[in-house]
């Protein structure tokens, strides 16, 4: 028995069996006190962390793609490549949305709740992959106990900004000091224009990132509303089904009562007919 194989077994298994299986493996490892202690320190993952672990194990190619996308995004931020940033950001949103759907499907399959809080934690964990190589490796390892938090987008956007150092003018000493005559303004150089363009691209990328965040929040609110309405509709449907079942049962009872009444009527008619015949013979 070794720690790596036990950890993989625990985090790959059913969440509800984690604690029981962990304690069992820790007992089995007691001849090695250090190993038993290390296994015993493993913490049961939250629902969000468990779902991310399962997505990482079942769809590693998409997880690797998101990790590479994070590397490209960080490089684009360093280079102040506005057009590339927009294209990569779009791919990031699309891929994270796909991974969220994977997690939602796994939650439904395993019978775990998938509310707004869980959805946000899962999305934050995938966003953290994009912002941090360490987070990407943690998700790839598929042994998360808790969800991760993404880094600040502002850190990315300012990481590639290098302030321009302006030379400080000096004056030569002399017996007389003449009023300083301002030097004629130099035409903008190619470097100055390039940095101005890069700055505009950076500001545009910031605005688009904020707008994308607002769109995400609006989409989350719409999703939450749709889920609430779906739950209400499901409850109404269940109520209708219950009423329908009760109506069917009542109809069956009425049919049975009608059948019994029909038999009673026929029996009474036969009795009347027999009585009439006896009267005729007299």
């Amino acid at each position: 028995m070794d720690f790596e194989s036990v950890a993989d077994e625990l985090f790959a298994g059913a969440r509800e069996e984690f604690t029981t299986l962990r304690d069992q493996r820790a007992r089995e490892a007691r001849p090695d006190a250090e190993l038993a202690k290390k296994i015993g320190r493993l913490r049961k993952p939250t629902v969000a962390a468990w779902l991310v672990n399962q997505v990482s194990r079942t769809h590693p190619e998409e997880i690797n793609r998101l990790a590479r996308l994070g590397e490209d995004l960080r490089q684009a931020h360093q280079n102040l490549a506005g057009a590339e940033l927009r294209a990569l950001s779009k791919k990031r949103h699309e891929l994270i949305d796909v991974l969220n759907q994977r997690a939602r499907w796994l939650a439904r399959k395993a019978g775990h709740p998938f509310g707004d809080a869980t959805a946000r934690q899962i999305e934050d964990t995938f966003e953290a992959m994009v912002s941090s190589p360490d987070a990407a490796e943690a998700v790839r390892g598929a042994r998360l106990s808790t969800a991760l938090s993404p880094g600040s987008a502002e850190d990315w956007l300012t990481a590639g900004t290098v302030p321009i150092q302006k030379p400080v003018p000096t004056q030569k000493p002399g017996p007389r000091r003449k009023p300083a005559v301002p030097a004629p303004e130099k035409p903008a150089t190619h470097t100055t224009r390039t940095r101005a363009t890069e700055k505009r691209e950076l500001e545009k990328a910031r605005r688009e990132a904020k707008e994308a965040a607002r769109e995400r929040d609006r989409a989350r609110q719409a999703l939450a509303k749709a889920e609430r309405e779906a739950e209400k509709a499901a409850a109404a449907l269940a109520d209708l089904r219950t009423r329908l079942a009760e109506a069917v049962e009542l109809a069956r009872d009425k049919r049975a009562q009608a059948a019994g009444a029909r038999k009673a009527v026929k029996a009474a008619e036969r009795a009347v007919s027999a009585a009439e015949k006896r009267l005729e013979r007299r």
Side-chain angles (χ1 to χ4, degrees):
M1 178 185 294
D2 63 273
F3 178 77
E4 295 298 322
S5 61
V6 171
D8 274 335
E9 179 187 19
L10 291 172
F11 286 98
R15 179 176 178 271
E16 56 271 18
E17 298 174 1
F18 185 96
T19 303
T20 301
L21 186 58
R22 177 201 61 196
D23 294 346
Q24 179 182 338
R25 293 292 181 263
R27 286 193 298 271
E28 293 171 355
R30 278 178 183 171
D32 185 338
E34 187 60 32
L35 176 59
K37 187 177 180 181
K38 195 174 180 181
I39 293 173
R41 283 197 297 262
L42 292 172
R43 291 293 170 259
K44 180 179 179 179
T46 63
V47 171
W50 185 84
L51 288 171
V52 170
N53 290 339
Q54 305 318 304
V55 171
S56 181
R57 291 176 184 276
T58 55
H59 298 88
E61 69 289 344
E62 292 175 352
I63 294 295
N64 289 333
R65 195 184 313 158
L66 184 61
R68 289 193 298 270
L69 187 59
E71 295 172 0
D72 294 341
L73 267 167
R74 290 191 293 274
Q75 186 61 47
H77 276 293
Q78 291 287 339
N79 297 335
L80 300 178
E84 187 180 3
L85 276 173
R86 290 192 292 275
L88 291 172
S89 293
K90 182 180 178 182
K91 290 181 181 179
R92 178 190 69 184
H93 291 309
E94 291 173 350
L95 185 51
I96 288 179
D97 184 61
V98 168
L99 293 171
N100 280 339
Q101 294 303 317
R102 303 283 193 209
R104 183 180 294 274
W105 183 85
L106 287 170
R108 188 179 299 114
K109 182 180 178 182
H112 289 307
F114 197 92
D116 292 344
T118 299
R120 279 194 298 273
Q121 290 171 11
I122 289 172
E123 184 170 351
D124 285 348
T125 300
F126 290 136
E127 290 284 4
M129 276 192 67
V130 179
S131 63
S132 165
D134 291 338
E137 284 306 309
V139 174
R140 279 170 162 166
R143 295 181 188 174
L144 296 178
S145 293
T146 60
L148 304 179
S149 298
S152 171
E154 290 297 318
D155 292 341
W156 288 17
L157 294 171
T158 58
T161 305
V162 180
I164 301 174
Q165 299 294 331
K166 296 182 179 180
V168 179
T170 58
Q171 295 180 342
K172 295 181 179 180
R176 295 181 181 180
R177 293 197 175 191
K178 296 182 180 181
V181 178
E185 187 175 344
K186 295 182 180 180
T189 63
H190 174 70
T191 302
T192 304
R193 288 196 299 271
T194 300
R195 290 196 176 279
T197 301
E198 290 173 346
K199 185 176 180 180
R200 287 195 297 272
E201 291 284 355
L202 179 60
E203 291 298 328
K204 186 176 182 181
R206 282 176 174 165
R207 291 194 299 271
E208 291 178 349
K210 290 179 180 178
E211 180 58 29
R214 286 193 291 268
E215 286 291 338
R216 181 193 62 190
D217 291 340
R218 286 194 287 269
R220 282 175 174 173
Q221 292 171 2
L223 175 61
K225 182 179 178 181
E227 286 179 341
R228 289 194 298 270
E229 291 176 350
E231 289 174 359
K232 289 180 181 178
L237 178 59
D239 184 56
L240 286 174
R241 284 175 174 168
T242 300
R243 293 183 181 182
L244 178 60
E246 291 173 351
V248 169
E249 189 63 28
L250 180 60
R252 286 175 180 168
D253 292 342
K254 295 298 183 183
R255 288 196 195 101
Q257 292 173 11
R262 279 195 296 272
K263 289 180 182 179
V265 169
K266 288 181 180 180
E269 288 176 347
R270 286 195 298 269
V272 170
S273 177
E276 288 175 347
K277 288 179 180 179
R278 284 196 297 272
L279 287 172
E280 289 176 358
R281 284 197 295 270
R282 290 180 183 178

